[in-house]
Amino acid sequence: MRIKRAFFRTKSRLKLSPMQIIAIMFALIILIGSLLLTLPAASRSGESCGFLDALFTATSATCVTGLVRFDTWTQWSGFGQMIILGLIELGGLGFMTVASFFVFMLRRRVGLKQRMLMAQALNVSDMESIVRLQKWVLIGSICIQLTGAMILFLRFLPEFGLQRSIFWGVFHAVSAFCNAGFDIFGSVAPGTSVAVFNTDPVVCITLMALVVVGGLGFFVWEEVVRLHSWKKFSVYTKLVLLMTAALILGGALSFCVLEWNNPATLGPMTPAQKILNGFFQSVTVRTAGFASFDQAGLTEAGKAITMCLMLVGGSSGSTAGGVKTVTMVVLLLFLWSRMRGKTMVCVFKRTIPDNQVMDAMTIVSVLMGLALFGGIFISATSPVSFTDGLYEAVSALATVGLTAGVTPVLSVPAQILIMIYMYFGRVGVLTISLGFLMGNKAKERYQYAHTNLLIG
């Protein structure tokens, strides 16, 4: 009896933080998705693909990455593709967003714990307006995805028939909005992703628009729709919009300059098609993962620009990965201030707190360190070059999903590392580290004397 009482007392003390709950729920979703994908009915051949390949695909879909070991259309049946689509939606919007839909439909009261989970899932700190923001996320997400699906459906209908056009429209609208990069164009040309439509402005522009909107962040949507004025926007929203525009334009210009005459990428296209694909590459490499041409054909400089854009990613509280746009802005502003001999970081007549500057430096440093380690590990354990291994590692960490063609030849240890990186990149560096490593952070009871070092 005493043992039983002690067990229940211990169990009652086991309280999980919102960050821990989110990390665990993502892991459970991946596990359930993996088990479903191992079913023979999920494979087009009628034979199970094996647990490791199913786990890799489920992790990639839930973490909205897009790295795959097989062509999605060729390997997976309609049932398997529906599972992948569900995992993408759950991973992109977050399971709390999906769960809140049923809460709102049943008109249930949203308690404090649910508000905390919503805030953590959306990566915002405002608890008072979180319910309104969650409703904006639900309504906006459904409307945007339906609009994108309708445009794609109308484009595909004359050529591919009613049933396939409906499914293609829905699948690719969800995949683009959630920045997942999965495609099912394999029935036309297996393994080519969006390359079969790289000269089609309707398909390319629709996918780009969905990717950009999905990567802006839910908080930015709500503020843009509600305020309608640049002067009224918060500093955060202004930085997101400016940085997003700068990355898209700068990336497109870089790719057009570097790849204009490259016969393996933009070379064979007309000038208008080169500009379209330059913009598409600039948009998709930051987190979506659709490929309008073979990424292995990029020049070394093109691959370097791609990896830089992948590391930056989208914005906080969005379906995108990476270190996030404003994080990179804060780091650049800090470096600019230090180079001018200033101690404060300011923007739009506002001062950024030192702790947020340190958070930005921590996130960038951790992801860059992990990317470097991943490149070395992959190239050491698989028959790929360091550049391609680094490309794969950055793509997984930033949940982009682009590959230089080496994913199918990765060794088992490299596959495991990529899965860990995809999970780590989606759930978030700080969510994992703070949730599991700093849940019971001890207070510093003493402090050592200061010392001066020579820096630089």
Side-chain angles (χ1 to χ4, degrees):
M1 182 64 70
R2 291 180 179 177
I3 295 175
K4 186 175 181 180
R5 289 177 180 175
F7 170 77
F8 281 111
R9 282 199 298 268
T10 303
K11 187 176 180 181
S12 64
R13 295 193 195 104
L14 185 60
K15 295 181 178 180
L16 298 176
S17 69
M19 292 178 289
Q20 291 171 329
I21 292 173
I22 288 172
I24 292 171
M25 286 303 297
F26 263 94
L28 287 176
I29 292 170
I30 291 171
L31 179 60
I32 294 171
S34 303
L35 295 175
L36 290 174
L37 288 175
T38 56
L39 298 175
S43 296
R44 191 170 294 278
S45 63
E47 298 179 359
S48 176
C49 66
F51 181 73
L52 182 61
D53 289 330
L55 179 62
F56 190 97
T57 304
T59 304
S60 182
T62 307
C63 298
V64 290
T65 305
L67 286 172
V68 292
R69 289 183 47 75
F70 318 103
D71 177 74
T72 304
W73 174 270
T74 306
Q75 171 63 33
W76 305 109
S77 64
F79 173 67
Q81 292 169 26
M82 289 298 294
I83 293 171
I84 292 172
L85 183 63
L87 293 175
I88 291 172
E89 193 75 90
L90 279 173
L93 298 183
F95 71 92
M96 272 309 300
T97 301
V98 178
S100 65
F101 171 78
F102 296 100
V103 173
F104 296 145
M105 289 294 291
L106 295 173
R107 300 182 182 275
R108 294 291 185 87
R109 182 177 177 273
V110 182
L112 178 61
K113 188 173 183 178
Q114 287 74 28
R115 289 172 184 263
M116 292 174 64
L117 281 169
M118 289 179 184
Q120 186 62 40
L122 295 177
N123 198 19
V124 296
S125 58
D126 187 1
M127 294 288 291
E128 294 181 1
S129 61
I130 188 61
V131 175
R132 186 186 76 242
L133 179 58
Q134 188 71 80
K135 290 180 179 179
W136 270 106
V137 171
L138 278 169
I139 296 171
S141 300
I142 293 172
C143 291
I144 293 168
Q145 290 178 86
L146 284 176
T147 302
M150 180 59 68
I151 295 172
L152 292 174
F153 162 73
L154 294 174
R155 163 60 187 86
F156 296 140
L157 182 59
E159 189 174 350
F160 299 103
L162 180 64
Q163 184 177 354
R164 179 174 292 186
S165 298
I166 292 175
F167 190 59
W168 277 19
V170 172
F171 189 98
H172 294 103
V174 172
S175 182
F177 177 78
C178 292
N179 285 211
F182 277 81
D183 73 273
I184 49 175
F185 294 134
S187 62
V188 179
T192 58
S193 188
V194 187
V196 291
F197 295 103
N198 63 7
T199 60
D200 191 318
V202 175
V203 174
C204 290
I205 293 174
T206 301
L207 292 178
M208 281 193 288
L210 289 167
V211 170
V212 171
V213 173
L216 283 177
F218 307 126
F219 176 80
V220 175
W221 298 356
E222 192 265 350
E223 195 165 282
V224 169
V225 173
R226 180 168 53 88
L227 298 179
H228 302 291
S229 173
W230 177 264
K231 293 182 179 180
K232 295 180 181 179
F233 290 162
S234 65
V235 173
Y236 172 78
T237 296
K238 291 179 180 178
L239 290 177
V240 167
L241 295 176
L242 288 174
M243 187 63 169
T244 300
L247 288 171
I248 292 174
L249 293 173
L253 179 62
S254 299
F255 286 120
C256 285
V257 170
L258 296 172
E259 305 293 330
W260 191 268
N261 295 316
N262 184 356
T265 54
L266 301 182
M269 303 178 187
T270 65
Q273 292 170 353
K274 291 179 180 181
I275 294 172
L276 176 64
N277 282 267
F279 272 96
F280 191 89
Q281 178 78 356
S282 178
V283 169
T284 192
V285 298
R286 283 201 300 116
T287 185
F290 292 113
S292 63
F293 50 74
D294 185 9
Q295 299 297 299
L298 286 167
T299 62
E300 292 298 305
K303 288 181 179 179
I305 294 295
T306 299
M307 284 188 280
C308 290
L309 291 173
M310 285 195 291
L311 272 175
V312 175
S315 301
S316 301
S318 72
T319 59
V323 300
K324 304 299 187 296
T325 51
V326 172
T327 303
M328 186 57 66
V329 170
V330 170
L331 180 61
L332 294 175
L333 289 173
F334 167 75
L335 295 174
W336 178 245
S337 297
R338 285 294 185 181
M339 287 189 293
R340 293 188 300 161
K342 296 186 176 181
T343 58
M344 293 189 298
V345 180
C346 301
V347 63
F348 292 122
K349 299 182 179 179
R350 295 290 187 274
T351 301
I352 301 173
D354 291 340
N355 64 315
Q356 292 194 343
V357 175
M358 294 302 298
D359 289 343
M361 294 178 64
T362 301
I363 294 172
V364 174
S365 299
V366 168
L367 282 186
M368 290 184 68
L370 288 173
L372 182 60
F373 171 78
I376 296 172
F377 184 86
I378 292 171
S379 62
T381 58
S382 302
V384 300
S385 66
F386 171 72
T387 301
D388 289 344
L390 181 62
Y391 195 98
E392 199 84 1
V394 173
S395 181
L397 270 175
T399 67
V400 177
L402 288 174
T403 177
V406 303
T407 307
V409 301
L410 293 179
S411 65
V412 173
Q415 291 179 46
I416 294 173
L417 180 70
I418 289 296
M419 286 188 281
I420 293 172
Y421 274 16
M422 288 189 290
Y423 178 80
F424 197 73
R426 180 65 186 112
V427 177
V429 176
L430 289 183
T431 298
I432 294 178
S433 61
L434 292 177
F436 288 100
L437 302 181
M438 299 177 65
N440 296 311
K441 185 179 178 181
K443 294 182 178 179
E444 296 179 357
R445 299 182 179 180
Y446 56 88
Q447 188 177 32
Y448 293 108
H450 289 272
T451 185
N452 292 319
L453 302 174
L454 295 177
I455 304 297

